[in-house]
Amino acid sequence: MVRRHSPITPVALRSAAHCSIPEQRKLLGQSPYLTGLTEDEVNQVQRTFQQQHYDAGDFIQKAGEPAIRLSIVGAGFVKVVRPTMDGQDVLLDILGPGEHFGSLAELGDASYREDVVALTDCCILYTNADNFHEILQRFPAAALSTLELVAARLRGAQSSIEHLSAYPVDRRVSSTLLHLAAKIGRVHETGFLIDVPLSRQDIADMTGAKVETVSRVLSDFRRRGLIASGRRWIAVIDREGLADIAGSDMP
Amino acid sequence: MVRRHSPITPVALRSAAHCSIPEQRKLLGQSPYLTGLTEDEVNQVQRTFQQQHYDAGDFIQKAGEPAIRLSIVGAGFVKVVRPTMDGQDVLLDILGPGEHFGSLAELGDASYREDVVALTDCCILYTNADNFHEILQRFPAAALSTLELVAARLRGAQSSIEHLSAYPVDRRVSSTLLHLAAKIGRVHETGFLIDVPLSRQDIADMTGAKVETVSRVLSDFRRRGLIASGRRWIAVIDREGLADIAGSDMP
DNA sequence: CGCCTCTTTGATGGCCCTCAATCTGAGTGG
DNA sequence: CCACTCAGATTGAGGGCCATCAAAGAGGCG
């Protein structure tokens, strides 16, 4: 039987987020935005980037601030949250190494529309939006890679729309758990651990539901042996079982 | 008092969709995907494109078919619909001249995930996905324009997610009507007419609601003098009034 | 060990879906 | 031109899912 009280400590805060210059160079070189660039070109790009370390829980960007930066997650994980006027937050995405947030050099966008919060300690690489635009112009391969990534994000967003429009909560939660496990899962004695501290509120904000509802759904999943969970951690135990609930659109 | 029975005929099916070669050249030249290209470059691009006319109601692409084309709307309007296994369709977008659909040359995507249906008679320009990828590589300006457009679509999708997650139906409907009016509105004696034939079912599929619910909401809006509507047509009368319901995130 | 936040569980109510019947108006063929 | 036909739209009654309100339980951190 799965114990709810976890004897284990699902440590998600790895200290990999130590930003050094050579580390930055390496991160940028691996960044999917810059695939296709020569070593020399990456070096040119690097000069325009700066870096900053954030502790888990820190705000990296706040909705309403002037949108001047384009940032790339170097190490660690962040959440992108759109606050609404009635206090109902919407968690749009969880981003890991190589993914971007901030202004994509769109002209009209005067200010950020999302909060970005560090889920783990992390290292953020950033540059001026105009600089990034210039990079894209100078290095067509970068523009193509970026396009590819944004297109993938768009597809993900459209899947979210499908789920929110058409499916009940348990299905949305199940699907979300599987996505999270695939993206940031780590093998662990309790199961396939989602290796980032997420509260029930976070899951609720990702699925368009309320904390209490998510808690009920997860309790049910737990009773059925599909997951193990505790305070700010969840592990997937029965992938197939969850996939049955999520429906047939999973990887 | 606003009459429900409209003496007027809100004709949306204009015959502009007559595809001729010089017309195609003009449409491509104006396409936001190709802004920044020289006249000669546009001509080069044109050679890889073909065109086809569709009548209102025709399927242009079907979910499940192999994803081999990238299409651009030359003239007219289409709807992008994602069918789900339980028959609940999700209307992801309505696209007009200059917008694209189909494969964006993503490698993994073996088959389309959406139906694309002509809302009006329309002219579709299309090319092989690989060709389009090649165009993007050859003409960096095109890649940048495309990136810009896809980024804009992503922001739109994220707004949809916000609405579906956090707001009640009347608000989603109101917001949708305002967006539609802004995108495809036309001044008319009944008000600001949404110049494309959309059924209640379409509105329902756009807002993640059911036909009956949308009908009730629209009836309410009508009684309050906010809109005029009839069989497959809606006109916005009181923009401010709708904006009050939609909340403060409108253009 | 105690505090505080996160989580869980219960009771109640409302929004929206479901089912069903009627109404309307656009297109068709006589 | 008109009656017919049928898809689309409207309206009502009832029920279910999920939000809301409320309170107790549990894990982490000092």
Side-chain angles (χ1 to χ4, degrees):
Chain A
M1 191 49 65
V2 183
R3 303 298 308 154
R4 260 175 52 234
H5 325 265
S6 76
I8 43 93
T9 325
V11 183
L13 314 155
R14 287 152 306 184
S15 52
H18 199 285
C19 295
S20 64
I21 296 292
E23 187 69 16
Q24 179 191 338
R25 171 66 182 75
K26 184 162 147 258
L27 291 172
L28 269 183
Q30 293 171 345
S31 166
Y33 288 92
L34 304 181
T35 50
L37 267 64
T38 66
E39 202 171 323
D40 185 52
E41 289 173 337
V42 173
N43 284 330
Q44 288 182 54
V45 169
Q46 188 192 2
R47 278 180 218 115
T48 72
F49 272 86
Q50 294 182 272
Q51 62 188 315
Q52 183 152 356
H53 171 87
Y54 294 90
D55 291 330
D58 286 354
F59 275 73
I60 300 167
Q61 126 185 344
K62 282 200 168 107
E65 288 176 350
I68 46 177
R69 284 187 183 178
L70 180 121
S71 306
I72 297 177
V73 179
F77 286 89
V78 306
K79 62 177 175 182
V80 181
V81 179
R82 179 172 295 204
T84 67
M85 43 231 104
D86 23 1
Q88 161 99 282
D89 284 354
V90 178
L91 205 166
L92 288 172
D93 229 328
I94 289 183
L95 306 179
E99 296 182 292
H100 86 273
F101 59 89
S103 168
L104 238 177
E106 328 99 17
L107 318 137
D109 254 29
S111 50
Y112 300 124
R113 288 198 289 208
E114 289 98 20
D115 292 332
V116 176
V117 183
L119 284 171
T120 66
D121 292 2
C122 59
C123 173
I124 303 298
L125 312 175
Y126 64 91
T127 189
N128 183 293
D130 293 333
N131 286 344
F132 192 73
H133 208 194
E134 195 192 313
I135 289 169
L136 294 180
Q137 284 182 307
R138 194 135 52 101
F139 307 114
L144 279 181
S145 305
T146 304
L147 174 58
E148 206 78 30
L149 278 181
V150 176
R153 294 268 288 277
L154 175 60
R155 288 195 295 278
Q158 290 177 332
S159 284
S160 291
I161 293 173
E162 174 186 339
H163 280 82
L164 290 166
S165 297
Y167 307 136
V169 170
D170 58 344
R171 189 162 174 182
R172 303 206 296 269
V173 171
S174 165
S175 174
T176 299
L177 293 181
L178 288 173
H179 270 116
L180 287 172
K183 182 166 186 177
I184 47 185
R186 181 169 64 90
V187 176
H188 187 89
E189 50 184 292
T190 54
F192 205 63
L193 183 70
I194 293 171
D195 201 14
V196 145
L198 289 175
S199 68
R200 300 294 180 270
Q201 184 66 58
D202 288 326
I203 307 289
D205 291 345
M206 292 183 80
T207 53
K210 296 293 163 192
V211 198
E212 298 93 330
T213 304
V214 168
S215 180
R216 278 181 242 271
V217 169
L218 290 184
S219 293
D220 180 49
F221 286 179
R222 209 185 305 120
R223 273 189 288 273
R224 293 158 67 178
L226 302 174
I227 63 168
S229 71
R231 189 193 175 87
R232 286 165 72 85
W233 67 270
I234 302 176
V236 171
I237 293 176
D238 182 358
R239 227 159 173 159
E240 305 257 325
L242 284 178
D244 282 346
I245 296 170
S248 53
D249 44 18
M250 288 293 97
Chain B
M1 190 50 64
V2 183
R3 304 298 309 155
R4 265 181 41 240
H5 324 266
S6 76
I8 42 95
T9 325
V11 183
L13 315 154
R14 287 154 304 186
S15 53
H18 200 283
C19 295
S20 65
I21 296 293
E23 187 69 17
Q24 178 190 341
R25 172 65 184 76
K26 183 163 148 257
L27 292 172
L28 271 183
Q30 292 171 345
S31 167
Y33 288 91
L34 305 181
T35 50
L37 268 63
T38 66
E39 202 172 324
D40 184 52
E41 288 171 337
V42 173
N43 283 332
Q44 286 181 53
V45 169
Q46 188 192 2
R47 276 180 220 115
T48 72
F49 272 85
Q50 294 181 273
Q51 62 188 314
Q52 183 152 357
H53 171 86
Y54 293 90
D55 291 329
D58 285 354
F59 275 73
I60 301 167
Q61 123 185 347
K62 282 201 168 109
E65 288 176 349
I68 47 176
R69 284 188 183 177
L70 180 119
S71 307
I72 297 178
V73 179
F77 286 89
V78 304
K79 63 177 176 180
V80 181
V81 179
R82 179 172 295 204
T84 67
M85 44 232 102
D86 20 4
Q88 161 97 282
D89 284 354
V90 179
L91 206 167
L92 288 172
D93 228 330
I94 289 182
L95 307 179
E99 296 183 291
H100 85 274
F101 59 90
S103 168
L104 238 178
E106 328 99 18
L107 319 137
D109 254 31
S111 51
Y112 299 124
R113 288 198 290 208
E114 289 98 20
D115 291 333
V116 176
V117 183
L119 284 172
T120 65
D121 291 2
C122 60
C123 173
I124 303 299
L125 312 174
Y126 65 91
T127 190
N128 183 292
D130 294 332
N131 286 344
F132 191 72
H133 208 188
E134 195 193 312
I135 289 170
L136 294 180
Q137 284 181 307
R138 195 136 52 102
F139 306 115
L144 279 180
S145 305
T146 304
L147 173 58
E148 207 77 30
L149 278 182
V150 176
R153 294 268 289 275
L154 175 60
R155 288 196 294 280
Q158 290 176 333
S159 283
S160 291
I161 292 172
E162 174 186 340
H163 280 81
L164 289 166
S165 296
Y167 307 136
V169 169
D170 58 344
R171 190 161 172 184
R172 303 206 296 272
V173 171
S174 165
S175 174
T176 299
L177 292 182
L178 288 173
H179 269 116
L180 287 172
K183 183 167 186 176
I184 48 185
R186 180 169 65 90
V187 176
H188 187 88
E189 50 185 292
T190 55
F192 205 65
L193 183 70
I194 293 171
D195 201 17
V196 146
L198 289 176
S199 68
R200 301 293 180 271
Q201 184 65 59
D202 288 325
I203 307 289
D205 292 345
M206 292 184 80
T207 53
K210 295 293 162 191
V211 197
E212 298 93 330
T213 304
V214 168
S215 181
R216 279 181 243 272
V217 170
L218 291 184
S219 293
D220 180 49
F221 286 179
R222 211 184 307 122
R223 274 188 288 272
R224 292 158 68 180
L226 302 174
I227 64 168
S229 70
R231 187 192 178 89
R232 284 165 72 86
W233 68 269
I234 302 176
V236 172
I237 293 176
D238 182 358
R239 227 160 173 160
E240 304 257 324
L242 284 178
D244 282 347
I245 296 170
S248 55
D249 43 20
M250 288 295 97

